[in-house]
Amino acid sequence: VEAFFKTGGPFSGGTLASKLSLKPAAPLSDAAQVRQSLRVFNASIHTRQQKVLQTVTDTGNQACKDGGTRRVQTNDNNTPLDVTDDSFSITTVDCIENGVGFTSFTNGSFSLAPTAGGFLTTFNQFTFRGTGSGGTFESILNGTMSFSGTNVPCGVTSFLESGSFTMNFTGTFKEDLDNNGSFEVNQSFAMNNVTMSMTETHTAAPACTPGTATFTLNGEISSTDHVDGLNTFSATFTQFTTTLTPAVRNGVEGDLFSLSGTIAISSSCANGTFTLSTPAGAEPFIPVDDSCPVSGRFLVTGGGTTTAVIFTPAGGIQIDEGNNGSIEQTFADCEDAEACTS
C-alpha cells in the first residue's frame, strides 16, 4: 500500500519530479503520505469521469522539444455524451525535453480507456527517465492496470467508498542519486493477477472528516534486486489487509494502523507462509510527521512460532520471538529493521 500510493502509481505524475526538485518535501509519515496520495487519486478519478473527448484526433508524429517524436491520439467513438467508450494514447520515440534544472526522456506507448466507474491503462515498454540535481530516476512499465470504484463527493472533497485495482504488469525502477552513471537502486518487478481493494469512511457534510481507510491485497508480487540481491523476493498475498484510522495520542495527531492476512514469501532472509495479526487495543500509532510508529505491536505467526514486533516510544523496534516477553533483537529506529540482512 505504502509503495503503491507513495510513488503515486502511473496516475499521479508527480513523484519523480518531486524527487528531482531542489526543494525537499515537508516531512510526513508513510500513513499521511498514503492519505495525501489517495486524495490526489480521488480528484483525478473525478476529472476522468468528465467528458473531455469530443472528437477523433491524431497529431501524427510531432517533434519533441529537444529530440525524438510524440504522437497523441484520441477517439470519442462518435458518442459525445458517453465517456466509457473513449480512448486516449501517447506514443513517444526517444522524446527529450529540457526544462529548468530538469531533463525528461520518454519512449514507448501509454493508453488510457475510461470505463464505467474507472479506467483501463495499458503500458507498452513505456519508459520515463528524469534527470535533475537530485539524481536520475528511470522507470519502465509493460502490461495493464484497471480500476473500478465508487467515488463519492462530500463538501469540497471526495472519498473512495469502494474501489479495486487489478494489475498485471512488469517493470523496472532505477535510481542514480549522484548522477555518476552507477545506479544505487536497480530493481525489476512483476505483478501477476494482483488485486487491491480499498474503502474509505468519513463523517457527513459539512465536516467530511476522513475516517478509516482499508486496503486489501491479493495476488503475486516479485522483485529482483540487481545491485546486491538483498531485496529480491517473491510473495503471494491472501486477504492481506491494512487499515489506517485517524487518532490523537497525547495531543499528537496521527494514525492507528493494523495488519492482518497471510503472505507466502521467498527471499534471502525469510521463507515460508506467515500470518499477520494486530491485537485489539494494541494497534501501532504513527504520528503524522514521523516515519516510525511509537507504540503498539504486530504478531507474525509461521513455522509453529509466533513473533511479536513491538514499537517503542522512541520509534524503535523490539523483536520478541515466541511472544513470551523475552526480547531477542532491538533496533533503535524502525527503518534500521527494513533491510533483509537484519
Side-chain angles (χ1 to χ4, degrees):
V1 172
E2 173 194 335
F4 189 79
F5 280 103
K6 280 177 66 180
T7 57
F11 38 75
S12 75
T15 301
L16 289 176
S18 65
K19 285 188 175 185
L20 297 168
S21 172
L22 294 173
K23 183 179 180 180
L28 289 173
S29 71
D30 290 344
Q33 291 183 61
V34 168
R35 286 190 178 277
Q36 187 180 74
S37 296
L38 194 52
R39 295 276 75 76
V40 173
F41 176 66
N42 284 344
S44 73
I45 286 295
H46 178 72
T47 300
R48 286 191 179 93
Q49 291 173 344
Q50 309 306 305
K51 181 66 177 179
V52 295
L53 302 181
Q54 299 292 344
T55 185
V56 178
T57 65
D58 187 345
T59 64
N61 292 325
Q62 296 182 324
C64 296
K65 179 182 174 183
D66 299 290
T69 61
R70 177 192 293 114
R71 181 181 185 180
V72 180
Q73 297 171 284
T74 66
N75 190 345
D76 77 338
N77 206 34
N78 295 316
T79 54
L81 300 180
D82 185 4
V83 68
T84 63
D85 60 2
D86 293 352
S87 65
F88 170 84
S89 67
I90 296 179
T91 302
T92 61
V93 178
D94 298 336
C95 179
I96 301 172
E97 295 185 319
N98 296 314
V100 178
F102 179 82
T103 297
S104 68
F105 169 90
T106 56
N107 191 59
S109 64
F110 161 85
S111 66
L112 174 67
T115 61
F119 59 86
L120 170 65
T121 305
T122 302
F123 305 92
N124 185 6
Q125 288 300 114
F126 187 74
T127 302
F128 174 84
R129 183 186 308 121
T131 300
S133 60
T136 296
F137 302 84
E138 179 182 287
S139 65
I140 302 174
L141 292 175
N142 194 50
T144 62
M145 173 191 297
S146 63
F147 170 82
S148 62
T150 303
N151 186 264
V152 177
C154 184
V156 297
T157 186
S158 63
F159 293 89
L160 190 64
E161 290 195 347
S162 65
S164 180
F165 284 96
T166 300
M167 294 161 278
N168 284 282
F169 60 82
T170 60
T172 62
F173 181 73
K174 300 178 181 180
E175 292 185 352
D176 175 9
L177 298 176
D178 48 16
N179 288 324
N180 66 354
S182 176
F183 289 104
E184 291 83 9
V185 175
N186 184 353
Q187 290 183 291
S188 58
F189 60 89
M191 293 188 175
N192 183 25
N193 291 326
V194 173
T195 62
M196 184 171 67
S197 60
M198 299 162 287
T199 60
E200 287 186 286
T201 63
H202 60 88
T203 62
C208 299
T209 303
T212 298
T214 303
F215 308 86
T216 301
L217 187 65
N218 286 279
E220 182 182 355
I221 300 175
S222 62
S223 177
T224 302
D225 185 342
H226 299 286
V227 175
D228 52 25
L230 292 179
N231 292 310
T232 295
F233 71 91
S234 175
T236 300
F237 298 88
T238 304
Q239 291 298 109
F240 193 84
T241 302
T242 302
T243 63
L244 301 173
T245 303
V248 177
R249 292 291 183 269
N250 300 318
V252 177
E253 294 184 354
D255 281 277
L256 293 172
F257 71 104
S258 66
L259 294 176
S260 64
T262 301
I263 176 173
I265 189 168
S266 174
S267 71
S268 61
C269 62
N271 290 278
T273 299
F274 303 91
T275 299
L276 278 75
S277 61
T278 306
E283 294 86 354
F285 174 73
I286 180 168
V288 70
D289 58 354
D290 206 336
S291 59
C292 294
V294 295
S295 64
R297 65 175 59 202
F298 296 134
L299 299 178
V300 183
T301 301
T305 301
T306 296
T307 297
V309 180
I310 305 166
F311 299 97
T312 68
I317 287 181
Q318 295 176 332
I319 306 298
D320 175 2
E321 298 177 4
N323 192 28
N324 55 14
S326 176
I327 304 302
E328 280 75 30
Q329 294 186 75
T330 299
F331 301 91
D333 188 285
C334 73
E335 295 184 353
D336 294 339
E338 290 183 355
C340 202
T341 51
S342 299

